[in-house]
């Protein structure tokens, strides 16, 4: 079983297209594991039956904590693009967060601030390393922006917990960004 392919398909189902899998996300983004397994196994994509142990294994071996199992449910922790807004848990972030982006996007970001674009939230990283990895998806030598989260909170921006490396928010005003 290729667990990377399986992880990608689960992210697709839980972040972008639950309806293709006959899944309905609850307001925190959870679905019953049994329903997800049922659809995955009906599709015939995988050479053997996908089990809960496979899902647990994906979470255990991934370099990023993308998914979370609680009880008999599973969810994606961030990255959603579906119209139904997933309610994230508010939290107080570290004073400085980082965002890795492209040279191409930089001028627009400095004009408009950071926006969620296709996703539900802006994604911020706890350290430069993580932000660099995020940015490298689109730019060989990405721009790393520094975000002053205290200044953002002072102008009313709420931050939400993604995972141990990722924080979410609705937007970042340009005044809180250093390039
Ligand atoms: C940019 C992956 C122009 C923004 C990653 C980014 C992350 C603007 C792109 C997670 C802009 C959106 C999310 C503005 C923001 N004008 N461009 N005003 N504001 N942008 O993929 O943060 O591996 O939606 O800089 O590692 O890159 O899938 O967001 O370049 O954690 O688990 O618009 O997805 O995680 O791109 O990545 P994305 P992101 P996984």
């Amino acid at each position: 079983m290729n667990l990377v392919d399986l992880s990608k398909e689960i992210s697709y189902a839980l972040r972008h297209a639950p309806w293709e899998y006959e899944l309905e996300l609850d307001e925190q983004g959870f679905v019953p594991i049994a329903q997800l397994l049922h659809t995955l196994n009906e599709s015939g994509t995988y050479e053997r039956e996908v089990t809960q142990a496979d899902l647990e294994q994906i979470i255990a071996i991934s370099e990023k904590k993308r998914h979370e199992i609680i009880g008999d449910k599973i969810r994606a922790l961030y990255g959603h693009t579906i119209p139904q807004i997933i309610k994230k848990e508010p939290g107080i972030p570290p004073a400085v967060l980082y965002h890795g982006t492209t040279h191409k996007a930089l001028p627009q970001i400095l004009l408009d601030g950071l926006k969620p674009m296709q996703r539900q939230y802006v994604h911020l990283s706890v350290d430069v390393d993580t932000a660099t990895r995020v940015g490298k998806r689109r730019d060989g030598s990405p721009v790393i922006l520094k975000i002053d989260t205290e200044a953002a909170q002072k102008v009313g921006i709420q931050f939400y917990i993604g995972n141990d490396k990722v924080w979410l928010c609705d937007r970042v005003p340009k005044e809180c960004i250093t390039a």
Side-chain angles (χ1 to χ4, degrees):
M1 171 96 43
N2 184 330
L3 291 181
V4 173
D5 285 351
L6 180 59
S7 178
K8 285 186 179 165
E9 183 163 16
I10 289 163
S11 288
Y12 176 71
L14 299 180
R15 290 174 175 179
H16 309 304
W19 49 86
E20 285 183 28
Y21 294 77
E22 290 166 45
L23 296 171
E24 205 173 312
L25 275 55
D26 74 10
E27 56 177 30
Q28 271 99 39
F30 282 107
V31 300
I33 289 171
Q35 277 181 28
L36 174 62
L37 291 176
H38 177 76
T39 319
L40 289 172
N41 286 319
E42 264 200 333
S43 72
T45 309
Y46 299 93
E47 70 273 16
R48 64 160 173 79
E49 192 184 348
V50 183
T51 64
Q52 176 154 346
D54 294 317
L55 305 182
E56 286 163 0
Q57 181 75 356
I58 283 169
I59 295 170
I61 66 170
S62 173
E63 82 290 0
K64 281 183 177 180
K65 195 171 181 235
R66 295 185 172 94
H67 312 111
E68 176 181 52
I69 290 176
I70 292 185
D72 58 0
K73 293 184 176 168
I74 185 168
R75 67 172 168 177
L77 284 168
Y78 58 88
H80 299 86
T81 63
I82 50 174
Q84 173 203 348
I85 299 292
I86 301 303
K87 282 198 189 148
K88 299 303 297 178
E89 191 190 329
I92 306 293
V96 175
L97 289 171
Y98 301 90
H99 180 86
T101 189
T102 60
H103 286 88
K104 187 163 178 262
L106 185 60
Q108 202 60 46
I109 292 172
L110 294 177
L111 277 179
D112 294 346
L114 283 168
K115 303 200 288 193
M117 310 306 278
Q118 308 300 318
R119 302 197 199 253
Q120 295 187 357
Y121 300 96
V122 172
H123 290 57
L124 302 171
S125 304
V126 295
D127 51 42
V128 172
D129 257 21
T130 307
T132 304
R133 274 195 289 272
V134 174
K136 277 199 167 158
R137 289 154 51 240
R138 297 208 178 80
D139 188 321
S141 84
V143 179
I144 306 302
L145 305 175
K146 213 170 145 182
I147 312 301
D148 179 345
T149 68
E150 285 172 354
Q153 287 171 90
K154 278 193 189 130
V155 295
I157 305 299
Q158 174 73 64
F159 289 81
Y160 308 91
I161 300 164
N163 66 15
D164 55 333
K165 296 276 167 72
V166 178
W167 281 83
L168 308 171
C169 65
D170 298 315
R171 65 186 181 89
V172 179
K174 61 182 173 192
E175 294 77 15
C176 308
I177 301 173
T178 317

